[in-house]
Amino acid sequence: MDGNGRWAKQRSLPRIMGHREGAKSVRAITEACAELKVKYLTLYAFSTENWKRPHKEVAFLMNLLSHYLVKEKNTMMKNNIRLLTIGDTSKLPLGVKTELSKTIKLTSKNTGLSLVLALNYGAKDEITKAIKTIAKKCISRKISPSKITEQTIADHLYTKNIPDPDLMIRTSGEMRISNFLVWQLAYAEFYITDILWPDFRKAQLVKAIEEYNNRDRRFGGVRNA
Ligand code: IPE
Ligand code: MG
């Protein structure tokens, strides 16, 4: 979800106004995904690198997140949405952690869209943690190194039980992955648009999905093999 700052700058507004408008896109895209019967929507809301931002901006983002969780509970229930997170949420402010666990518990039985918020998420952090856990299990002989498979690694990532994404949408035209789901995106289709996140709404999502539907996914094979 990139481009909030630039959206604000274009209007000579403070960056936080861009985040506020971006939160409206979060609502619109989540509802559109529920409506379109998308099964999983993962939103990269806060990265392990985002702590480098000015304290005030980080505080605003955390506050926005708590407010969002409080406000969206009913909509999530109404739309049968299940909330999940990936990332090291233990480092988030207490208020955010409390709201998160409340909403996760409340929505845990919902069977529609799974909304996965990536919070204090970094792919390198995720892979490092997985390797540490696997190494410990090898030492304690719970896992034999020769038996490690791709599935073993996948099972130790934050995304265990979450399927790999089919489509990765990047807004604001940046041509980089920015430490997002490095392992899981191995065969995802990429869709990069110059549209800034606050301007990315249902019509733009539909366009991305339509383009995805026309992609020829071969997963390293050949067509009509
Ligand atoms: C939002 O966009 C990303 C978040 C961390 C919420 P940015 O804040 O990165 O916007 P730009 O890149 O400055 O335009
Ligand atoms: Mg950015």
Side-chain angles (χ1 to χ4, degrees), residues 83-99:
L83 182 73
L84 303 169
T85 62
I86 54 171
D88 183 1
T89 51
S90 71
K91 304 281 179 347
L92 298 174
L94 186 61
V96 175
K97 281 195 282 192
T98 311
E99 282 313 318

Side-chain angles (χ1 to χ4, degrees), residues 136-170:
K136 280 185 197 154
K137 287 185 184 174
C138 286
I139 290 168
S140 61
R141 297 182 183 274
K142 286 195 190 90
I143 295 179
S144 153
S146 61
K147 296 262 167 63
I148 293 172
T149 61
E150 291 183 7
Q151 193 58 48
T152 316
I153 296 168
D155 287 344
H156 287 82
L157 300 175
Y158 291 120
T159 50
K160 65 170 189 278
N161 306 325
I162 298 176
D164 286 347
D166 292 309
L167 171 63
M168 203 279 295
I169 300 174
R170 169 112 206 191

Side-chain angles (χ1 to χ4, degrees), residues 39-55:
K39 291 202 178 94
Y40 289 85
L41 168 67
T42 304
L43 297 174
Y44 199 6
F46 198 85
S47 77
T48 47
E49 287 75 35
N50 284 148
W51 298 106
K52 288 186 214 155
R53 294 187 177 207
H55 172 76

